[in-house]
Every structure is written in structure tokens, then in C-alpha cells.
Amino acid sequence: MSAVSDAEAARRGKSGLFSLAKTAPWFIAAVLLICLPLVFNSGAGFTVMNQMAITIIFALAYNMLLGQGGMLSFGHAVYMGLGGFFCVHLMNMVEYDGLMLPLPLLPLFGGLFGLLFAFIIGSFSTRRAGTVFAMISLGVGELIASLSIIVVAFFGGEEGVSGDRTMGPEVAGFDFAQQSEVYYLTAAWLFISALAMFLYSRTPIGRISNAVRDNEERAEFLGYSQRYVRWISFCASGFFAGIAGGLFAINFEILTEENLNLATSGSILLITFLGGVGFFLGPVIGAIVFTLLQTVLSLYTEIWALYVGLLFVLTVMFFPSGLAGVIAIHVRPWQLGKIGLLAAPYLKMIVPAALFVFSCAAVLEILFHARHAALGEEEMWLYGLTINSQGVWPLTIAIAIAVVSLIILKRLAPSLKEAWDEANHQETGS
Amino acid sequence: MSAAAIELKDLNKSFGLARIIRGVDLSIGRGERHAIIGPNGAGKSTLFNLITGKYRPSSGSVHLAGTDISRLNPYQINRMGLSRSFQITNIFPKMTVFENIRCGLLYSMGYKYSFWHLVDRQPKLTERADEILEQINLTDRRHLIAGVLTYAEQRALEIGITIAGGADIVMLDEPTAGMSASETDYIVDLIRQVTEGKTLVIVEHDMGVVFNLADRISVLVYGEIIESDAPEKVRASEKVQEAYLGVAEEEAD
């Protein structure tokens, strides 16, 4: 739909550099970023929001490769991590060597270092797409992660490198000691980076990056070197990953091997896929959901990573276009004005679905507690109840609820399917 | 007339021990409509891929308007004004029809690797893409995802992408393969119209198309050109009858 209006606007030539339909989402996003601290004004709230913003930038940068360019990287933490390490060192130079670098500009330098390393490594890794690229990215990722333990002078070994963000010159009276100040700094960079990445996808190189993803041979015969196209995309992605790294350095004031290693590279792939690689907003959704699970769920359960893994596997299996894809399939019923048809079946299913999820989680939690709690410690807390994890009944009840709710869900499924088909059906002649 | 549009000099290509192209010499003049025909496995597509830079020759050379292009990459050859289509439909299936054409235009309209232009804000680019859509009769398919077009429409779109860059030399690899008679007529008309004034090199199985379209025909058999002449003469040539048309009859049995 938007393609139509875009094209119409373009045909008219001069019309709407600031057309309402296109700028409204960005305006709303800006207002949201400004107003969020009014709601979540606790320390924990800022921690989560800052982390979320950083992850969003990183995920969007990663999707420039995966979604836009069709390049599967297993080592993209390298560019965020290196950007971050250089920023911590810059912060220390500000503190000890009197370097006059205002803190808000630091992420830009993170970006430039990310760009530099993407330029160097991309010069050979982007020669080929597909498996070759993926394998080189994996190798380089491991290489840099290992280097970070060996080259202690730069990477600080296992303790990493830490700094102090408040030692720089004050900017307009802010010394960035407060988390809220860091939040606004991060949010500003998030907004700028996201907008820049969005516009990038609308440039000739952005479009050709899609073309090379879809059909590299055809693109070659249109005058484009597939290698240079991939290399440029890789550099752009490295730049924005480096910005995320700089913000990480500001926010956490420490970088370690963990920022470069395979686990971090893997989770950004997971986040991007979870959100949906085919949509600009996909990585944003993925980053928000993942950060929430990581920070909030981990307060309640030790096996949060298992739930994240399950969510990932289920999403990939049933909704390969990610969470954004789940939202996108509702656009058509919405446009047909039939979204209301789905409300009743959804409402009917929400209770058994929740019961099913929570009872399955209960089974996992009880089993985990039974196996891992200290000897003799049989009591556990679950959903506000004190239960005996060694007993037979709690497990039996949890399984029974799971089975019953699953049966109810199965019974309700046909009515949802029917409503779904109806909601997507366009009356002929309308 | 200075140098020929395309000139092949003692061109050879081997894959392992198999010699696919054996010492081909061929000169295609500017503005000529040249068809390459030959039985299956004669090396027509290989020859095509050698000219367009997909393969490197084992020996010999390919010249484009006098310049040796045998060691260049496809994108470099394309920038010198040679464009091609493919035997298997080769478009960008996930993009819209309009975007397909626009991608074909970007390089030649000077946008190259730009990251400071927004493609939707380039009226000239949009205008030109729409002109080409008009030419290939796909204007009403403008917003469709290219992958959902009919086969004939996809072939037409591919021809559109191929000519979009304004290349002087257009090479089409079996543009009518797998088409019904009416679709074939449609595509042949389209080719004639969009390659007006350009050099056209076409590999084709359909003899009707070849004799209808070409000024000159080269017959390739087992990697060698056994005849290269005007259509009537090729049709009359005994050598060709024996080597190719005879084979075709056998195949038909």
C-alpha cells in the first residue's frame, strides 16, 4: 500500500519531503522516547530501557546484513564490541590524558571504529555470499574473541576494560552521572541511527543491496559488482553496530570478552530472527521482547534462557517471518474492516492459552527445582504458592492442566480458523 | 563503421577435458540482429556466457567495440554497454515490477553506489522506469510483486530490465523458451520494438522466431561455427541441413 503512495508522491516530484503519513510514525516514536521516563522512572526502568535502545540499534544494524543484504553473520558482535572497546579507551583518555571529547559524541567514534574494522574484514569476507561469508564471519568472530583474552593490554583480559563516563567536559550542564541523562543520550542516538538506517534502505545502494540478496547474478548484469555492494552494506552495518558499542560503553562503563564472543553474536541473530528479518520494525520488536525476557524474566526464573530458546524455536517453526510477521498478517483483515471477527475467538483462546503456557512452565520449573535445589530443600515458590517439588501431586496437577488446556485449544482451533478465513476473505465486487 | 560491436577471435573454452567451444571466430556488426542457433549441447549458452563475462575463455579473446573484454567481470562489461537476459527467468522475484525496472536503471542513470539519494524522490528515475513499463506493457502490473506475474509477463519484465540500462548491445538467451505460439508472437514483437537501433544477439530454438527476427544467423555445432550468413542462405546451406536441421528432425521423432 505504501509503495503506491510513495510512487504517487515521487511522480508529483516535489511533493512531501515531509509528508504526514511517512513522518507521523517517526514523530510518534520521538514523543514516545521522550515520554517513556515519565512512566518508567525507576533505576531498573532506566537500565532496561537503555539496554533495550542499545540492542535495538545493534539489531537494526545486524538486519542491514541479514534482512536487507541476505548475509548471515555469526560474528557481528565483533563490530559492536570493538566499537565499544575503543570508546572505553577514549573515555579513559578523556579522564587521564585530558582529551576534550564531549560524551554525547563518543558513540560516533564507536561507529567510526566499527566502520574501520568492517572495512578491513569486509574486504575479504564479502567476496562471496552464503555459506562462505557465514563461515568467515564465524572464524573472524572466534579469532577476535580469543585475541581479546590474549592481548591484555588492549582488551584487559578477563576483567575487561572499564572507564568512567562522567569525567568529560560537561555538555549544557549535564555530566551524565544520572541514568536519566544517559537514557536521553541513548534515546537520541537510537532515533538518529534508526532514521538513518531506514533512509539508507531507500537509497540506491540500499535497493541494490536487496537486489543482490535476491539475485546476485542479475545485479551483476545491471552494472553492479555484487562484492562491492555487499562490502558497502557490511561497512554501513559495522558503523551502526559500532554506535551501539559506543552506547554500551557509556551505559555500562565496562567491556569484556563477552561483548565480542559467539554468544553475543548468536543472540543478535536470534533477536533479529525473532522479530522478523523481512520488516524494518522486526529487529526493533525482537530487541524489545528479548530485552524484556532477559531482564524481567531472569528475575523470576533461572531457566529464562530455556524459555527464550523455546520461543525462538516456536517462532521460527510456526511464524518464520517473526513477530513482526504475526502483526503483518493482521493488516489485511484490518484493511478489509474485519479485524473485529477475530476478537471473539482470540478472547476465547486467551485463557486456555495462558493456562497452557503457565502450566508447561510450571512443569519445567518443578522439574528444575527437583533436580537442582540443595539436598533437603523441597519447598519452592511458584505463582505465589508454596509447593513441594519432590511430591507427585504438584507435577501431576501441572501436567493435567497443560493437557486439559491443550485439548480446549484444539477444540477452539477450528472456530479460529474459520474466523481467520472469513476475516481475510474479500467479497467479490467490493 | 569502426570496430564491430562484438568480435570473437579464436575463442576456446574447456571444462576439464571437454572442449565446449572450439576456435570460434565471429564478428557482429553494429545494429545487426544476430541469431545463434544449434542443436542442444552445441555450446550456445556457453558462448553467451563467455561474451558476457560469466565465464573466462580458456584461450582466444572477446572484443567489445574494439576493446578486449575477455578478462573483465560481468558488471564491468555491462557498464560498457552490453546487457543480457537469461535462459531461466532471472528477475528480482520479491520486488515489485516497478522496482525491478528501477534497479535496472540505477547504475546507468548515475546513481551507482549512492547512499545520499532517496530513490523515491528522483522524479526522473520514476519517469524513466514508467516509460519502460509502458514499453513492455506492464504498466497495470506496476505494483505487483514480480514473482506472481505470469511466465510471459516475467519474460517481458526481464527484457525490460535488460534494456533499462540503455545498453547498445542486447543479448537475449532463448527469450521465447517454453512459450505458447501467441505468447511467442507477443515477445518477438516486443523484442523488435525495444531493440530498435541496437545490436541484438539472440540464442533461440524456435526457428520461426529466428528467421523472423535475425539479419544474420550463425550455426553452432559441437562448439564450432559451421555457417554464418543471411537467413535464406543458412536455410539453403547443405552443411546446416546435414548438421543441424537433420538433427532437429531426428529429435522430433
Side-chain angles (χ1 to χ4, degrees), chain A residues 30-54:
Chain A
V31 172
L32 200 66
L33 284 174
I34 292 168
C35 294
L36 271 175
L38 303 178
V39 184
F40 304 100
N41 51 9
S42 63
F46 280 117
T47 307
V48 173
M49 286 190 296
N50 287 347
Q51 200 175 331
M52 217 176 251
I54 294 165

Side-chain angles (χ1 to χ4, degrees), chain A residues 4-253:
Chain A
V4 181
S5 53
D6 287 3
E8 288 303 321
R11 192 177 292 167
R12 274 180 244 121
K14 58 202 176 293
S15 83
L17 181 59
F18 296 102
S19 76
L20 189 67
K22 275 191 270 176
T23 43
W26 293 99
F27 187 71
I28 294 167
V31 172
L32 200 66
L33 284 174
I34 292 168
C35 294
L36 271 175
L38 303 178
V39 184
F40 304 100
N41 51 9
S42 63
F46 280 117
T47 307
V48 173
M49 286 190 296
N50 287 347
Q51 200 175 331
M52 217 176 251
I54 294 165
T55 314
I56 289 172
I57 299 176
F58 189 25
L60 281 171
Y62 186 76
N63 204 37
M64 290 175 95
L65 283 186
L66 183 62
Q68 307 285 323
M71 287 180 272
L72 175 61
S73 166
F74 291 115
H76 214 52
V78 165
Y79 310 96
M80 174 173 171
L82 286 175
F85 269 104
F86 275 98
C87 283
V88 177
H89 283 296
L90 281 175
M91 249 159 35
N92 286 333
M93 284 164 79
V94 169
E95 184 174 355
Y96 300 113
D97 307 330
L99 179 73
M100 288 303 284
L101 176 65
L103 193 74
L105 290 181
L106 194 63
L108 179 65
F109 289 89
L112 292 175
F113 281 109
L115 174 68
L116 176 69
F117 284 98
F119 181 81
I120 296 168
I121 294 164
S123 67
F124 57 86
S125 76
T126 57
R127 274 167 200 263
R128 295 264 174 277
T131 315
V132 177
F133 173 81
M135 289 304 111
I136 294 176
S137 75
L138 184 65
V140 170
E142 279 292 81
L143 179 81
I144 304 281
S146 322
L147 268 185
S148 74
I149 298 182
I150 299 164
V151 187
V152 179
F154 183 80
F155 294 104
E158 286 185 4
E159 302 97 84
V161 185
S162 47
D164 186 341
R165 65 176 174 244
T166 60
M167 291 301 164
E170 284 191 4
V171 180
F174 296 117
D175 64 358
F176 299 99
Q178 300 292 322
Q179 262 196 314
S180 60
E181 291 165 353
V182 175
Y183 169 79
Y184 281 111
L185 172 64
T186 311
W189 274 101
L190 167 62
F191 186 80
I192 295 165
S193 308
L195 185 61
M197 283 187 264
F198 178 77
L199 292 177
Y200 179 89
S201 72
R202 276 10 184 201
T203 62
I205 180 67
R207 303 313 300 160
I208 286 297
S209 164
N210 288 173
V212 169
R213 171 197 68 194
D214 290 349
N215 192 340
E216 52 191 43
E217 185 178 47
R218 181 76 255 187
E220 280 268 307
F221 284 104
L222 297 178
Y224 282 94
S225 156
Q226 45 170 312
R227 186 187 154 197
Y228 287 141
V229 171
R230 279 196 293 266
W231 193 5
I232 293 169
S233 308
F234 193 72
C235 289
S237 176
F239 175 70
F240 289 106
I243 288 180
L247 289 168
F248 188 96
I250 291 173
N251 194 38
F252 294 94
E253 299 179 306

